[in-house]
Structure formats: structure tokens, C-alpha cells
């Protein structure tokens, strides 16, 4: 990966809808080599996809919670059962497996406190292998998603 590839990645992280023509102009390539580089980055797994960034509040999901999960055990069966179950919960928009405690950090997006309370009672609190669930409510998202430094 050279400086041009990094420039392409930097621009696409911020403006994923750039046309190939505009992208090529900004990185000072002609369109054909630019498109070839983008496709190579996709095929190499550097670019893993494209998506729209949606304002959670605009779609009724402005109540953001970080949930810290500790499991009863660390055996493969417990970990797998937990991970399979948490992937089925649409309100969990991000799940990170951690070293040390907590075992997992979940980012949850729901409409309000009542919805989160219900989610805890009906789904999160029933996750397989769950030992402890601790929650923190986000006051404000200062740097949502973020852009990777290249």
C-alpha cells in the first residue's frame, strides 16, 4: 500500500459516495488506474464495504448505551453461545470482545430508557453465560464512527 492508496482510503472514509472521476482527480490519477486501485483494495479486504452513516436520533434510536458484560465462564461453548445470541439482537449495534474485564462491550441504540429497560429484561439479561451486566448511558456522541488514521 503506497501513499496514493492511503489517499484513496482517506477520501473514501470521509466521502464514500465520491464518483470514481472525482476520486481520481483528487488523488491525481486518471479514472482507470484509480478504479483499478479501489478494486484491488476491495479484493485485498482493505475496503470491507460501503454504508450510509445514519443519525440515530433521526430514526428514533438516539438513546445510546454502553453495556459491559461479564460471562460466567470462558470456555468455548459459553463464549460461542453468547456471541451467537448477541448477534441476533438488532438493538446491539456493536459488540467488542475484550481482553480482561469486562468480557464484552456492547453499544446499544434504542428509542429511550423504557426501551432499554425492556431490552435488558427480555433479551440482554437472558443471554447465555451472562454473569454481570453493567450499563452506562452516553450523554453525547462527540466522535461517532470515526475515521482511521492512515
Amino acid at each position: 500500500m503506497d501513499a496514493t492508496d492511503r489517499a484513496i482510503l482517506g477520501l473514501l472514509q470521509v466521502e464514500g459516495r465520491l464518483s470514481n472521476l472525482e476520486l481520481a482527480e483528487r488523488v491525481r490519477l486518471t479514472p482507470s488506474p484509480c478504479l483499478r486501485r479501489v478494486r484491488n483494495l476491495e479484493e485485498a479486504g482493505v475496503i470491507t464495504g460501503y454504508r450510509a452513516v445514519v443519525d440515530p436520533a433521526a430514526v428514533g434510536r438516539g438513546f445510546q448505551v454502553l453495556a459491559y458484560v461479564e460471562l460466567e465462564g470462558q470456555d468455548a461453548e459459553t463464549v460461542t453461545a453468547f456471541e451467537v445470541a448477541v448477534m441476533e439482537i438488532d438493538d446491539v449495534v456493536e459488540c467488542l470482545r475484550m481482553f480482561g474485564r469486562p468480557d464484552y462491550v456492547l453499544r446499544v441504540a434504542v428509542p429511550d430508557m423504557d426501551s432499554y429497560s425492556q431490552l435488558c429484561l427480555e433479551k440482554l439479561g437472558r443471554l447465555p453465560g451472562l454473569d454481570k451486566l453493567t450499563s452506562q448511558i452516553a450523554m453525547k456522541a462527540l466522535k461517532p464512527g470515526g475515521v482511521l488514521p492512515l
Side-chain angles (χ1 to χ4, degrees):
M1 184 178 319
D2 63 12
T4 302
D5 289 334
R6 291 182 192 286
I8 289 169
L9 292 171
L11 288 166
L12 289 176
Q13 282 189 99
V14 176
E15 298 179 70
R17 292 187 68 180
L18 280 176
S19 70
N20 183 59
L21 183 60
E22 179 68 21
L23 182 61
E25 287 176 9
R26 291 194 191 181
V27 297
R28 298 186 176 135
L29 289 176
T30 58
S32 184
C34 183
L35 183 59
R36 192 168 32 256
R37 282 177 176 263
V38 170
R39 287 189 177 149
N40 287 341
L41 290 167
E42 292 169 347
E43 289 170 9
V46 177
I47 296 174
T48 59
Y50 299 89
R51 63 187 177 99
V53 178
V54 177
D55 176 5
V59 294
R61 296 286 178 153
F63 195 78
Q64 304 281 307
V65 180
L66 292 177
Y68 304 97
V69 173
E70 294 183 20
L71 299 180
E72 294 172 334
Q74 298 298 312
D75 58 282
E77 190 175 307
T78 301
V79 168
T80 299
F82 173 84
E83 290 180 358
V84 166
V86 82
M87 293 298 292
E88 297 297 318
I89 303 173
D90 291 338
D91 297 315
V92 176
V93 296
E94 186 174 11
C95 177
L96 301 171
R97 185 169 178 202
M98 310 299 287
F99 279 107
R101 295 285 182 210
D103 297 314
Y104 292 87
V105 176
L106 312 179
R107 188 166 63 87
V108 178
V110 291
D112 52 34
M113 176 66 89
D114 289 339
S115 299
Y116 184 65
S117 179
Q118 184 176 358
L119 179 68
C120 286
L121 291 171
E122 295 176 3
K123 294 182 182 178
L124 296 180
R126 296 180 182 185
L127 284 166
L130 180 70
D131 181 42
K132 184 177 180 182
L133 175 67
T134 306
S135 304
Q136 289 186 323
I137 301 166
M139 289 174 49
K140 181 179 181 181
L142 299 175
K143 199 172 180 181
V147 173
L148 292 173
L150 303 169

